Amino acid sequence: MPALKVHHIGYLVKKMEAATRSFEALGYEITQPATYDEIRKIHICFLEKDGYRIELVSPASEDSVVSGLIKKFKNSPYHICYETEQFDKDYQELINGGFVSIDTPTPAPALQGRNVVFLMNASMGMIELLQSENAGS
Ligand code: NI
């Protein structure tokens, strides 16, 4: 079984600034102000409350990686990200276990350039796998 740790919950928002203010009003603290991911054409901001880390994701243009998702889901949580020290091994194990990779491992500028990849399975939907900070792959 892969050794996965929950890293964050990904949350789609249409408007980053307005969403950030609303989360702050509920007591969330910004731990990483919004940055632009030019590979995925999205804005990303990290917030925390009660030990939970939330990643706000908003589309920066019509052809962003989340533009289709946000039409379907509106403002909504849409993935849980799992961190691993054995990225390549766990990635392969997830695929062997029935997950389908929906992109290829790509560096995430908002997460120190660590590799991330998104996978799907029929009974769970989408997850994100993130390379741990203190590991190669
Ligand atoms: Ni994420």
Side-chain angles (χ1 to χ4, degrees):
M1 187 165 57
L4 307 179
K5 284 174 60 182
V6 173
H7 183 269
H8 66 257
I9 296 166
Y11 204 112
L12 289 170
V13 295
K14 291 178 189 171
K15 295 179 178 165
M16 182 60 82
E17 281 187 26
T20 305
R21 283 195 298 274
S22 292
F23 274 93
E24 284 183 303
L26 291 187
Y28 286 81
E29 288 187 9
I30 297 175
T31 54
Q32 190 176 312
T35 54
Y36 177 57
D37 180 336
E38 62 182 19
I39 298 171
R40 300 172 181 83
K41 299 184 181 174
I42 52 178
H43 298 290
I44 297 178
C45 170
F46 284 95
L47 307 157
E48 275 185 33
K49 178 172 165 58
D50 307 329
Y52 290 92
R53 188 187 287 119
I54 307 289
E55 172 195 48
L56 301 185
V57 177
S58 72
S61 67
E62 278 296 312
D63 58 343
S64 80
V65 291
V66 297
S67 294
L69 289 171
I70 207 158
K71 285 195 181 93
K72 188 173 174 186
F73 296 120
K74 316 292 183 191
N75 294 312
S76 169
Y78 74 113
H79 72 260
I80 298 177
C81 174
Y82 299 92
E83 186 176 36
T84 172
E85 294 187 1
Q86 314 174 78
F87 185 87
D88 291 343
K89 181 171 176 286
D90 288 346
Y91 180 41
Q92 197 55 54
E93 271 189 44
L94 288 167
I95 288 171
N96 294 345
F99 278 85
V100 175
S101 191
I102 58 174
D103 60 2
T104 54
T106 313
L111 290 163
Q112 303 88 39
R114 294 190 260 158
N115 264 344
V116 303
V117 67
F118 284 87
L119 304 109
M120 295 275 283
N121 95 9
S123 60
M124 181 184 268
M126 189 158 62
I127 68 166
E128 178 181 20
L129 189 65
L130 166 68
Q131 184 178 336
S132 170
E133 226 169 345
N134 43 24
S137 60

